[in-house]
């Protein structure tokens, strides 16, 4: 069972790749998970947490904790609707935009490693698989 377990293999790959990204991003003071959230907020802002959950495939409580951490760093700002407390949205701050720009070099380093280690065919396969499992995940053209 261990040799053929898809869950075990995907977890193993995710840990290896995530660790490499986290290592490259550490000098920029951000984790790969935080960078993903910053990119998503930047792309969709202002964005409700509920609208992020479908893409991220994570528990609402986990997303809330992670967004709170980004707020403490002043990377994102919470926007509230005085008429509807449930309509909280987030947007990137100037500090968050600067953090994204700063972290790009670390991300690029990790990305180049991943492309070399996995190969373009495998990366394309991962993208197509992720999109097939969750149509909200985009696939690069080309």
């Amino acid at each position: 069972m261990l040799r053929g377990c898809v869950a075990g293999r995907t977890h193993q790959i995710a840990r290896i790749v995530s660790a490499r990204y986290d290592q490259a991003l550490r000098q920029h003071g951000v984790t790969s998970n935080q960078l993903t959230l910053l990119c998503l907020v930047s792309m969709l802002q202002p964005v409700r947490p509920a609208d992020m959950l479908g893409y991220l495939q994570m528990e609402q409580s986990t997303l809330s904790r992670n967004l709170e951490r980004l707020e403490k760093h002043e990377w994102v700002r919470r926007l509230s609707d005085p008429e509807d407390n449930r309509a909280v949205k987030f947007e990137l701050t100037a500090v968050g935009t600067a953090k994204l720009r700063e972290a790009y070099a670390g991300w690029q380093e990790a990305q180049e490693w991943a492309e070399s280690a996995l190969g373009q065919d495998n990366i394309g396969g991962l993208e197509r698989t992720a999109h097939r499992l969750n149509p909200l995940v985009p696939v690069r053209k080309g």
Side-chain angles (χ1 to χ4, degrees):
M1 186 172 21
L2 183 59
R3 276 186 240 136
C5 182
V6 174
R9 280 291 177 247
T10 56
H11 286 301
Q12 183 181 46
I13 293 166
R15 284 190 299 272
I16 292 166
V17 173
S18 292
R20 190 63 175 249
Y21 276 78
D22 285 338
Q23 178 185 3
L25 293 167
R26 189 171 294 122
Q27 64 185 320
H28 303 287
V30 66
T31 67
S32 58
N33 286 334
Q34 290 170 332
L35 188 63
T36 297
L37 289 178
L38 287 173
C39 288
L40 194 56
V41 170
S42 175
M43 188 173 71
L44 301 174
Q45 66 184 334
V47 61
R48 296 178 321 129
D51 295 332
M52 298 172 72
L53 289 172
Y55 176 84
L56 296 168
Q57 295 294 301
M58 69 172 50
E59 296 292 325
Q60 183 173 352
S61 60
T62 302
L63 177 59
S64 294
R65 277 193 309 276
N66 287 326
L67 287 169
E68 285 174 12
R69 289 182 186 124
L70 298 184
E71 276 187 286
K72 285 180 182 170
H73 287 293
E74 299 181 351
W75 295 340
V76 298
R77 172 180 21 258
R78 182 183 303 251
L79 306 171
S80 299
D81 182 342
E83 295 183 23
D84 184 359
N85 288 336
R86 296 169 298 163
V88 172
K89 294 181 179 178
F90 288 86
E91 69 179 5
L92 219 56
T93 63
V95 176
T97 300
K99 181 54 69 175
L100 267 178
R101 286 189 186 118
E102 173 192 339
Y104 180 78
W107 174 85
Q108 186 65 42
E109 174 188 327
Q111 186 74 7
E112 288 171 6
W113 171 84
E115 289 172 355
S116 173
L118 297 172
Q120 288 301 320
D121 288 344
N122 288 328
I123 290 173
L126 287 171
E127 289 175 349
R128 289 185 298 278
T129 300
H131 180 74
R132 186 171 38 251
L133 296 174
N134 181 359
L136 296 176
V137 175
V139 177
R140 285 186 276 183
K141 305 284 189 238

